[in-house]
Amino acid sequence: MQKVLPALVALRTRLRPVDGSNWRATGFAVLLLIALPTLVYKALSTRFGFTGPWFDLDFVLAYVLMLLGARIGNIWLIRLGFLAIIASFSVQVLVGIGVIYLVDPVLVADYLAFASYWPWGTILKWAVLGLGAMFLVYLLVRPVRLDRARIWPVLLVTLVVVGAEKLGSSNERRNALSINVATSGALSLYHLGQAWINYQGFRAEPVDFPAMQQRVLDLPAAQRPARILSLSVEALGLFKDPAANAVVFAPLERAVGQVYTVEMGRHPFKGATLSGELRELCGLRTLGTPGKESIVRIGPNCLPAQLRKQGYQTIGLHGNTGYFYNRVQIYPGIGFDETMFGDDFHRHNPGVTVCEDNTFVGTCDGTVVEAALEFLSARHKAMAHVMTLQSHFPLGVSSLGDDRCGAIAGVTDPDLCLYANTMSNLLARLGKQIAEAPVPPDVVYIYGDHAPPFAMVDKREAFERGQVPFIVLTRKSGPTVP
């Protein structure tokens, strides 16, 4: 920072002699108002792994607006044009990142429902950095004689670029969210608004592989295990490197090896956390968060509801609030007799241990799994489902692990090492807890909800992007049957 600020001051000083040349003023204006935000956007898209245009038409319109404002002496037109650049840039970045994290940007409404639980510290940090960068650009633009900059060269280039793209495109309507040479932040926002208005709500279709629901229900009733534990592990993915996977899963296998046989598998995934739960609990590929009508429609076929018909008692547990993904309604709706969320743990025991060193503060996973095991051991026929919390992204150094490398040969990225250390320790702890339970569950299903959602594309590329682990632990002594 000590070197950057003097360099910006020097650049700003060099801009002052622009008065004598229309072409020089044009060059600086194009550089600061069109080229610079475009290059920053492309740098972000490359680093974070989303796609977007090389040529934003909004920047051109804002450029024209600012130059016209300068020629007629209207400072408000200049400011309006600069704000339009910021707005278009922000829309393109948010839509790009939204496609990474939300699968479909239209689902932003679902995520707004629990905005009070977002990691606002991280969000505000990046927002402040972004606004600071825009302010620096504004300071650089101020000395430029925009009234002397030319408009027609930029319009000519725009016509050439748009014309070339039109000649190379099909007759089908262009999608502003796809990879285009030229597009518009305003057009992206318009198409997003259209999709939002026409959003059909929650959608679900059966998966085309044997999810946990099918595996359990396909067993004859007389062979069905009496005590079933479902464990959905937040952001548990699969490295592309088998050696790295061995580092993550070997501690679990060692922890449970005396009590359980271990079957390692993998399942396709699509969507975020709730989609991962409904994939295994209900055998559904879903998009969005179900409301009351959708819950009534899908609930009866879900595993907890089916087991409940056969005399099983069921419980769903999560260490954070039940309002995340509307679990407070979904869990009972798909067949859980009882639910326990973070608030319930604290209400029943105000002194319960709270894990505060992860992104979302809540009841520690060990405490939640302990409650699930107690529920199972106290009942002859029961199912418990746990959605973990402590491995939620973004990860940080915590009681579960640090970012020291060495366990995985050839991996030196601290973020990947932090992930591997966190997951291996979490699985080892939970495995030990399950194996040492007074009454161990007869069968345990452990699976990832989705791949690790790293912001940087190079880190995401270290993982299988379409599959997550699906692990089955079966008691060696033979499952207890009803």
Side-chain angles (χ1 to χ4, degrees):
M1 184 60 68
Q2 293 178 346
K3 295 181 179 180
V4 172
L5 289 178
L8 290 173
V9 172
L11 178 59
R12 190 173 187 274
T13 303
R14 289 175 60 86
L15 293 176
R16 295 191 181 280
V18 159
D19 298 2
S21 168
N22 292 346
W23 284 109
R24 204 171 166 197
T26 303
F28 277 119
V30 170
L31 173 66
L32 294 172
L33 301 178
I34 298 177
L36 181 59
T38 299
L39 291 174
V40 170
Y41 176 81
K42 293 308 294 184
L44 288 174
S45 65
T46 301
R47 192 75 175 98
F48 287 88
F50 55 86
T51 58
W54 273 104
F55 196 85
D56 194 326
L57 300 178
D58 294 347
F59 294 164
V60 174
L61 295 176
Y63 172 90
V64 172
L65 184 65
M66 293 178 71
L67 265 58
L68 291 176
R71 292 183 182 183
I72 64 176
N74 190 326
I75 187 63
W76 290 107
L77 282 181
I78 298 175
R79 292 172 177 170
L80 181 62
F82 190 74
L83 288 175
I85 292 174
I86 296 175
S88 180
F89 179 88
S90 301
V91 166
Q92 295 284 20
V93 170
L94 290 174
V95 168
I97 293 178
V99 171
I100 295 173
Y101 288 102
L102 305 186
V103 182
D104 187 337
V106 174
L107 299 181
V108 68
D110 291 347
Y111 288 76
L112 288 174
F114 45 81
S116 58
Y117 300 100
W118 291 359
W120 283 106
T122 302
I123 294 172
L124 290 175
K125 179 185 72 175
W126 285 101
V128 169
L129 288 173
L131 290 174
M134 292 299 179
F135 181 70
L136 288 176
V137 173
Y138 178 73
L139 292 180
L140 292 172
V141 170
R142 287 190 64 187
V144 178
R145 290 293 301 271
L146 296 179
D147 58 324
R148 295 192 176 185
R150 301 176 186 271
I151 294 176
W152 68 264
V154 173
L155 293 179
L156 179 61
V157 171
T158 301
L159 289 174
V160 171
V161 171
V162 173
E165 178 160 313
K166 287 297 182 183
L167 288 174
S169 66
S170 66
N171 292 327
E172 298 178 0
R173 182 174 65 86
R174 303 289 286 182
N175 182 352
L177 303 183
S178 64
I179 304 174
N180 297 335
V181 175
T183 189
S184 157
L187 188 60
S188 295
L189 191 60
Y190 170 74
H191 285 165
L192 181 58
Q194 275 191 323
W196 202 335
I197 292 171
N198 297 322
Y199 178 45
Q200 299 299 312
F202 174 76
R203 299 197 295 275
E205 61 183 22
V207 298
D208 54 2
F209 59 89
M212 178 180 67
Q213 175 231 28
Q214 181 180 337
R215 288 179 63 118
V216 174
L217 295 180
D218 279 353
L219 292 172
Q223 300 177 19
R224 198 163 292 147
R227 298 178 181 89
I228 302 169
L229 176 61
S230 163
L231 196 57
S232 180
V233 181
E234 173 66 39
L236 178 61
L238 287 166
F239 277 104
K240 291 179 179 177
D241 181 3
N245 283 327
V247 169
V248 172
F249 298 112
L252 169 66
E253 297 182 75
R254 289 194 296 268
V256 303
Q258 295 296 318
V259 181
Y260 291 95
T261 59
V262 181
E263 174 191 340
M264 299 292 298
R266 54 181 64 198
H267 278 179
F269 85 93
K270 184 175 183 180
T273 299
L274 181 63
S275 293
E277 292 182 270
L278 296 180
R279 179 190 71 230
E280 303 298 342
L281 291 170
C282 304
L284 295 174
R285 181 179 291 108
T286 62
L287 180 66
T289 301
K292 291 182 180 180
E293 292 183 1
S294 296
I295 295 171
V296 170
R297 186 176 74 252
I298 69 171
N301 293 322
C302 294
L303 179 60
Q306 290 292 315
L307 291 178
R308 190 167 62 181
K309 290 180 181 178
Q310 299 167 21
Y312 283 74
Q313 293 176 275
T314 57
I315 187 172
L317 309 96
H318 180 50
N320 204 280
T321 174
Y323 293 99
F324 259 125
Y325 292 108
N326 194 29
R327 288 189 182 96
V328 69
Q329 291 185 351
I330 293 172
Y331 277 11
I334 63 174
F336 288 118
D337 297 309
E338 300 179 33
T339 60
M340 284 194 72
F341 300 111
D343 298 340
D344 300 316
F345 281 98
H346 294 288
R347 185 166 52 254
H348 294 159
N349 179 12
V352 68
T353 303
V354 177
C355 285
E356 298 182 342
D357 58 356
N358 40 277
T359 302
F360 291 97
V361 175
T363 306
C364 301
D365 290 333
T367 302
V368 179
V369 171
E370 180 181 358
L373 294 172
E374 290 177 354
F375 179 89
L376 292 174
S377 64
R379 289 157 179 85
H380 181 54
K381 294 171 62 177
M383 175 192 176
H385 167 71
V386 174
M387 180 68 233
T388 69
L389 176 67
Q390 286 181 257
S391 54
H392 202 294
F393 272 57
L395 293 178
V397 174
S398 70
S399 58
L400 282 176
D402 55 33
D403 58 0
R404 287 182 293 181
C405 296
I408 308 176
V411 176
T412 58
D413 187 302
D415 290 331
L416 296 181
C417 295
L418 173 61
Y419 167 85
N421 295 336
T422 297
M423 287 300 182
S424 63
N425 288 332
L426 175 63
L427 292 175
R429 291 183 188 182
L430 297 182
K432 183 175 184 294
Q433 192 174 3
I434 293 168
E436 295 179 354
V439 182
D442 296 307
V443 63
V444 182
Y445 297 96
I446 303 174
Y447 48 91
D449 53 353
H450 53 73
F454 281 103
M456 306 305 181
V457 64
D458 57 331
K459 302 182 197 304
R460 294 201 303 275
E461 286 300 314
F463 296 88
E464 299 287 350
R465 298 312 302 169
Q467 295 182 317
V468 289
F470 183 81
I471 307 167
V472 183
L473 310 181
T474 306
R475 281 184 63 182
K476 290 182 177 180
S477 60
T480 305
V481 294

